Amino acid sequence: MSAIDFSDPGTIAFLTDALTAAGVEGLEISRPDGQIRIVISGEGGARISVPAAAPRASNFAAVVVKAPLAGHFCAEHPAAAVTPQTLPRSISDADVLGFIRVGHVLLPLRAGHSGVLTSLLAEPDALVGFGDPLFEIELPS
């Protein structure tokens, strides 16, 4: 099997047409020799609510947890019958903050940093894309 030539405009046009026909809003492929990202724009694009950042003390740094792939954002496990936790709240680096749902598959989103979870940057069940901001974590300095 030969590798796909992403420098060929015909290949890009074919992929774009196939994504549009399938109703997919984008595709990202990374390989050691390069990367391609195709985003299909239209009226029904993903909507993410990003509230204005609250002022924070100068002795704190913040990190943003971003979506590792496109899918539906779940702030809680869909089967959980618990009341959503309030913000801000303390978290550890191994805590699961939420999930990305693709079909019936849930990908857990780990904090990766210990600190204080201060903001939810995407609406629950919103369609998010690769790299979209989901959470903000305040780190002690």
Side-chain angles (χ1 to χ4, degrees), residues 8-103:
D8 176 25
T11 300
I12 303 301
F14 172 78
L15 287 172
T16 302
D17 290 343
L19 291 171
T20 303
V24 176
E25 294 181 2
L27 168 75
E28 182 163 350
I29 300 172
S30 296
R31 299 188 315 199
D33 61 337
Q35 176 179 1
I36 184 169
R37 184 175 189 190
I38 300 172
V39 178
I40 309 299
S41 61
E43 287 185 73
R47 290 182 178 85
I48 299 171
S49 172
V50 181
R56 62 176 70 82
S58 60
N59 61 337
F60 285 93
V63 295
V64 174
V65 177
K66 297 181 179 183
L69 74 157
H72 288 270
F73 170 63
C74 302
E76 302 287 335
H77 191 285
V82 294
T83 309
Q85 296 187 23
T86 58
L87 298 178
R89 73 175 193 257
S90 294
I91 58 168
S92 75
D93 61 340
D95 285 353
V96 174
L97 303 179
F99 301 87
I100 297 291
R101 180 177 49 82
V102 180

Side-chain angles (χ1 to χ4, degrees), residues 94-119:
D95 285 353
V96 174
L97 303 179
F99 301 87
I100 297 291
R101 180 177 49 82
V102 180
H104 297 292
V105 177
L106 291 176
L107 174 71
L109 300 167
R110 299 212 184 270
H113 300 279
S114 295
V116 177
L117 181 61
T118 58
S119 304

